[in-house]
Amino acid sequence: QMTLVESGGGLVQPGGSLRISCVASASIANVDTVGWFRQAPGKEREWVTIDSKGYGPSYTDSVKGRFTFFRDNAKNTVGLQMSSLKPEDTAVYYCNVRQGMRMSWGQGTQVTVSS
């Protein structure tokens, strides 16, 4: 099982930007998918972006044009650059890695968008 550690969450005003990152304990260069999910209070966890091997990142409609996925395989790091943040983006953001039937999750990082 791979260990994932997220960082970079915090409080940001509406319209602001934030960058969150996730460091993996093992190589992510050849995994099937790497992505970010989020869970707001009282809601189910939802996918935000998934980077599939050979296909590149896809984004859920609500973040398209505002969020950008990035990865650095040499540093076993993935991240999410978030801009034009809205209060409805408030959630705990989780990093996820899938290799075959094995799935790993980070502990999450809180992102709060509020004035």
Side-chain angles (χ1 to χ4, degrees):
Q1 198 80 357
M2 184 182 294
T3 300
L4 305 172
V5 179
E6 299 99 335
S7 62
L11 173 64
V12 62
Q13 292 187 342
S17 298
L18 200 64
R19 183 183 177 102
I20 57 177
S21 298
C22 171
V23 179
S25 61
S27 176
I28 59 168
N30 294 303
V31 298
D32 292 332
T33 66
V34 183
W36 288 92
F37 290 68
R38 66 186 180 186
Q39 187 166 16
K43 295 187 176 181
E44 294 187 353
R45 190 172 297 188
E46 63 173 357
W47 76 281
V48 177
T49 179
I50 295 177
D51 187 32
S52 301
K53 185 168 58 176
Y55 293 93
S58 57
Y59 300 89
T60 194
D61 286 346
S62 63
V63 308
K64 284 181 181 176
R66 300 189 298 121
F67 289 13
T68 302
F69 174 87
F70 63 88
R71 70 190 290 169
D72 184 341
N73 289 337
K75 296 181 179 180
N76 297 331
T77 298
V78 299
L80 194 62
Q81 177 67 46
M82 304 180 288
S83 60
S84 301
L85 282 161
K86 305 175 181 179
E88 50 264 43
D89 294 319
T90 295
V92 178
Y93 284 70
Y94 297 91
C95 179
N96 170 270
V97 172
R98 185 180 64 80
Q99 178 64 27
M101 297 297 290
R102 290 179 295 181
M103 189 171 290
S104 301
W105 293 93
Q107 82 289 349
T109 186
Q110 176 70 46
V111 173
T112 302
V113 184
S114 175
S115 56

